[in-house]
Amino acid sequence: MEPPGLPLDTEYADDIDFNDEDEENLKALLPIATEVLKDWNLFVNEDKTDFTHVYLAEKGVKDDQGKPIAGNELWRKSITLGSMLCSKEDISRRISLGYAAFNKYKKAWSHRIPLNKRLLLYEALVVSVLMYNSSCWAAPKSVLEKLDIAHRRHLRSILNYKYPHRISNKILYKRCNAEPFCKGDVDDRSQTFSH
């Protein structure tokens, strides 16, 4: 039964993904899905439907402007449920968003606020942005290390450590009661990633 006063199309919000190696199968599936879902009062906005061809281009293949396609395939920039399909691209985007969030709350890093409160705010307002959907990432350790670099820069800023003053990574993490995102020994860059 329809809730009073609510238009039918505002009763739900949802996304769905269909995957196939052949884009033509997906295009053929769209009108079928639209018809079947309509029976349950779920309406597909075909104008907002995206078709993303996920593939790995062969090395040496170039686009119309002569740029290599391998590693720059269009699907790498596609966003689904707030995350880019390419882990490497998504991590770069998360780092940028993390810096933006960190800078947005500059007043929260003031030394008038106790360190434990600043760190709680940092965890809630910045780390949550940095690590959004991180359980889906499959990226090389060198890319994951970039997250730790951003994390340590934020922590140093919260502690007001600026050049030329230095603090080791180990002491930094200990003082902030934090851990690197690449788990393991702070100085060992080959450890596994988790958060």
Side-chain angles (χ1 to χ4, degrees):
M1 178 171 205
E2 183 177 337
L6 280 178
L8 194 56
D9 61 350
T10 61
E11 291 177 21
Y12 73 95
D14 205 4
D15 287 330
I16 188 167
D17 289 336
F18 293 108
N19 300 302
D20 196 300
E21 293 175 352
D22 185 356
E23 188 176 353
E24 294 308 313
N25 289 343
L26 295 173
K27 288 182 178 179
L29 181 62
L30 182 60
I32 297 167
T34 300
E35 199 58 39
V36 170
L37 291 170
K38 190 189 286 184
D39 290 342
W40 293 316
N41 289 327
L42 300 173
F43 302 100
V44 175
N45 185 342
E46 292 190 28
D47 294 335
K48 288 186 172 181
T49 300
D50 291 327
F51 292 95
T52 304
H53 181 206
V54 179
Y55 67 99
L56 295 175
E58 292 182 29
K59 293 187 186 234
V61 177
K62 299 187 183 219
D63 65 11
D64 297 339
Q65 288 135 10
K67 294 179 185 174
I69 296 175
N72 298 307
E73 295 89 350
L74 291 175
W75 64 266
R76 293 179 185 275
K77 303 278 187 194
S78 295
I79 297 176
T80 298
L81 299 174
S83 293
M84 292 182 138
L85 293 180
C86 175
S87 295
K88 187 176 175 183
E89 296 289 338
D90 195 41
I91 290 168
S92 293
R93 180 171 173 261
R94 289 276 130 215
I95 290 169
S96 294
L97 293 171
Y99 277 115
F102 187 82
N103 291 329
K104 181 178 179 180
Y105 298 107
K106 269 189 176 173
K107 290 182 181 179
W109 319 134
S110 162
H111 290 276
R112 292 177 289 183
I113 299 172
L115 179 59
N116 64 334
K117 299 291 184 202
R118 282 182 274 157
L119 292 170
L120 283 173
L121 287 169
Y122 172 69
E123 187 76 27
L125 300 172
V126 180
V127 173
S128 61
V129 171
L130 276 172
M131 302 308 292
Y132 178 78
N133 231 355
S134 61
S135 61
C136 297
W137 290 337
K141 287 177 179 64
S142 61
V143 174
L144 296 173
E145 173 60 20
K146 292 176 183 180
L147 283 164
D148 279 332
I149 291 168
H151 181 48
R152 287 191 299 266
R153 282 184 182 160
H154 295 157
L155 294 175
R156 283 186 172 91
S157 183
I158 289 169
L159 292 178
N160 200 26
Y161 274 89
K162 296 178 182 159
Y163 182 81
H165 297 90
R166 303 182 107 177
I167 184 173
S168 73
N169 293 343
K170 204 172 242 183
I171 294 171
L172 175 70
Y173 286 125
K174 187 173 184 177
R175 182 133 185 247
C176 294
N177 195 24
E179 294 181 357
F181 297 138
C182 290
K183 297 286 184 174
D185 186 352
V186 174
D187 297 319
D188 184 357
R189 305 289 186 236
S190 64
Q191 298 298 312
T192 58
F193 170 79
S194 65
H195 185 266

